[in-house]
Amino acid sequence: MQSVEQILLPEWMIPVSEKPSSLENQVFKDQAVVIDNGVITALGSRREILAQFQSDSVVELPEHVLTPGLINAHTHSAMTLLRGYADDLPLMEWLSAHIWPAESKWVNEAFISAGTNLAIAEMLRGGTTCFNDMYFFPDVTARCAEQAGIRATVGMIVIDFPTVWAKDADEYISKGLATRDALRHSSLVNAAFAPHAPYTVSDQPLERIATLADELDCPIHMHVHETAHEVEESTARYGMRPLERLERLGILNRRLCAVHMTQLLPAEIETIAERGVNVLHCPQSNLKLASGMCPVDAMLQAGVNVAIGTDGASSNNDLDMLGEMQQASLLAKGVSDNPSAMSAYQSLYAATMGGAKSLGLENTTGSIEVGKAADLMAVDLSDPSTQPVFNPVSLLVYSASRSQVNHVWVAGKQVLQNRTLTTIDLEETVLEAKGWGLKIADGRAS
Ligand SMILES: [Zn+2]
């Protein structure tokens, strides 16, 4: 008998290793997962595995479904501190009259740390094991992620106007690259270029980012075609739609992780499919800001890689990936007038493998396969809201709530055990967020 670190024995397992079009053989019963040094080293039936391996840590998971950890493909984690700060407004008014002024008043390293810790606590308790972030002080975000033991891609943010993080495009890029360099030995956190949006970043820095991203083979994370207003403004200012401008600047390729994409012509869907552009779909943020609706069904049919993100907690207003999967499926059906659009399995695929592919992490995470990191969540289906169990995939996407996520592992380390976080002091994290909330509310009143 071979001794191993950990053996998990879930009642059901959804490995998400098949293509999203196939639903067959995606749910396995009575499987066992062997974990050693943070990596999945063997998979098989409970009987086979227990005949070959032994461990001091054999975890029985009756009535649980084990899936890959969820990947929140687009968020601004520190913005949890601005959750509910300004609601029910269109994007540009929400940003320019509320969010940007609040950020210029409050954002500093302590704000980022408090907000990111709050976000990570919320995400881990909802089954998210990896997040793709875009915000100021990515070095602080990276430190919080490493301390909490969650996988992350932090954004090397670039925006034309000065902020507390940097004064101009050159400084944004150089501070971003320094953050990336400092992370080169990290096993959990890496960095992507994150020019904020076509309407906030001018041609010169975008050209430089295009060149650097090619040289470094690094993803580019950017809000693109979020609203009709953005497209109209670009047409008036540059004489072309943002996607055409990005193409001319050399950004429209497989490295681009384009967030939102609610305004697309059929020819643009063909182009992004050809170029291998990834779409980071944020259905709840798009609905809440009435930004428009992303044509996910048409994109999936064209072969576009789609990932799912929550966006920041100030435009959603939570970081609940189970809720986001449900919204993605329901919205796709409504938009395309087709009830078979974005099946439950397609949403689960987008929230796991889709996210991993967009970030270039498809060989590391996103599915339960031998050789990949043990990034996993176990959801308890014994709750009345998820009974009876005909199809665990359907239950996860259409019925389960995140309070049923009982256990989470990142790189084999159990970071959530029976709903308790093992790497984060939840009480202290919430207390700190409350303190910031009071300070920000006082500042607004005065
Ligand atoms: Zn965003």
Side-chain angles (χ1 to χ4, degrees):
M1 292 277 264
Q2 191 183 333
S3 269
V4 293
E5 223 167 79
Q6 230 180 140
I7 301 175
L8 310 184
L9 302 170
E11 184 153 350
W12 298 277
M13 185 175 87
I14 311 170
V16 198
S17 47
E18 295 296 317
K19 288 271 175 272
S21 53
S22 156
L23 242 180
E24 284 168 43
N25 300 322
Q26 272 303 321
V27 181
F28 297 89
K29 240 194 148 213
D30 297 324
Q31 294 288 293
V33 180
V34 177
I35 302 170
D36 240 342
N37 292 319
V39 173
I40 299 165
T41 54
L43 292 167
S45 74
R46 172 185 281 251
R47 206 152 40 105
E48 282 164 9
I49 294 292
L50 291 179
Q52 272 183 70
F53 300 96
Q54 64 180 23
S55 174
D56 292 338
S57 172
V58 176
V59 184
E60 288 275 3
L61 297 164
E63 300 202 70
H64 283 69
V65 57
L66 190 76
T67 75
L70 304 175
I71 297 177
N72 187 349
H74 175 67
T75 190
H76 313 277
S77 55
M79 291 182 87
T80 49
L81 291 187
L82 297 173
R83 189 195 321 261
Y85 180 76
D87 292 311
D88 311 321
L89 295 164
L91 175 71
M92 286 322 293
E93 188 184 343
W94 174 75
L95 276 177
S96 53
H98 301 273
I99 297 301
W100 286 339
E103 285 178 340
S104 71
K105 186 164 181 183
W106 295 111
V107 170
N108 58 28
E109 291 197 29
F111 175 101
I112 302 295
S113 163
T116 304
N117 286 333
L118 183 69
I120 292 173
E122 181 181 356
M123 287 193 281
L124 287 176
R125 282 163 55 91
T128 294
T129 55
C130 177
F131 66 101
N132 182 31
D133 202 74
M134 179 196 285
Y135 212 58
F136 311 105
F137 298 96
D139 53 336
V140 178
T141 309
R143 202 185 314 138
C144 294
E146 283 189 326
Q147 279 167 2
I150 187 170
R151 204 175 292 284
T153 297
V154 296
M156 296 181 267
I157 192 166
V158 179
I159 197 160
D160 277 345
F161 52 80
T163 61
V164 63
W165 171 239
K167 63 178 186 304
D168 57 25
D170 283 348
E171 194 181 3
Y172 280 104
I173 292 174
S174 65
K175 286 183 93 167
L177 288 171
T179 301
R180 182 178 182 274
D181 283 350
L183 291 169
R184 66 191 179 281
H185 299 303
S186 172
S187 60
L188 284 180
V189 185
N190 63 9
F193 286 102
H196 173 263
Y199 59 94
T200 49
V201 188
S202 41
D203 285 1
Q204 206 195 351
L206 285 175
E207 273 170 346
R208 201 168 152 222
I209 288 168
T211 308
L212 286 167
D214 282 352
E215 280 172 18
L216 302 170
D217 195 14
C218 179
I220 301 174
H221 175 195
M222 186 180 203
H223 301 98
V224 183
H225 282 218
E226 182 169 4
T227 61
H229 174 77
E230 172 191 336
V231 176
E232 284 157 19
E233 197 200 52
S234 172
T235 308
R237 188 165 154 201
Y238 298 100
M240 64 190 100
R241 291 162 66 86
L243 273 178
E244 190 185 344
R245 187 171 149 239
L246 294 183
E247 178 162 45
R248 290 186 188 201
L249 294 168
I251 281 181
L252 216 63
N253 57 44
R254 64 173 177 81
R255 289 189 194 89
L256 180 61
C257 297
V259 189
H260 299 310
M261 298 286 262
T262 71
Q263 314 289 324
L264 293 178
L265 305 171
E268 289 172 329
I269 295 177
E270 272 174 45
T271 305
I272 61 165
E274 273 166 28
R275 302 296 158 83
V277 170
N278 304 279
V279 172
L280 313 186
H281 178 36
C282 303
Q284 293 194 359
S285 174
N286 294 158
L287 283 168
K288 183 159 184 283
L289 295 163
S291 294
M293 287 174 271
C294 176
V296 178
D297 187 43
M299 293 193 308
L300 288 173
Q301 286 189 33
V304 175
N305 178 49
V306 175
I308 295 177
T310 60
D311 213 345
S314 53
S315 68
N316 181 309
N317 291 2
D318 59 36
L319 308 179
D320 176 3
M321 282 293 291
L322 281 180
E324 210 68 36
M325 282 197 288
Q326 183 189 51
Q327 192 78 68
S329 277
L330 298 183
L331 184 66
K333 296 171 198 309
V335 168
S336 62
D337 205 16
N338 171 15
S340 61
M342 194 93 177
S343 67
Y345 187 67
Q346 281 176 307
S347 270
L348 179 62
Y349 187 92
T352 52
M353 273 306 289
K357 280 183 182 172
S358 69
L359 301 174
L361 296 175
E362 67 271 30
N363 296 319
T364 305
T365 188
S367 63
I368 304 179
E369 289 180 89
V370 171
K372 283 204 179 183
D375 294 357
L376 306 163
M377 75 162 175
V379 181
D380 180 6
L381 299 182
S382 67
D383 191 84
S385 64
T386 43
Q387 289 293 322
V389 182
F390 295 117
N391 177 357
V393 180
S394 162
L395 290 174
L396 270 182
V397 174
Y398 296 128
S399 313
S401 84
R402 56 181 163 166
S403 61
Q404 291 168 259
V405 177
N406 270 358
H407 310 287
V408 174
W409 295 260
V410 180
K413 182 177 170 66
Q414 188 157 9
V415 287
L416 186 74
Q417 192 164 25
N418 288 315
R419 299 288 303 143
T420 301
L421 292 165
T422 65
T423 54
I424 289 180
D425 184 333
L426 187 59
E427 208 178 328
E428 192 189 302
T429 302
V430 170
L431 207 64
E432 213 183 338
K434 278 184 181 164
W436 272 100
L438 292 172
K439 203 156 65 169
I440 292 168
D442 274 0
R444 180 149 64 173
S446 63

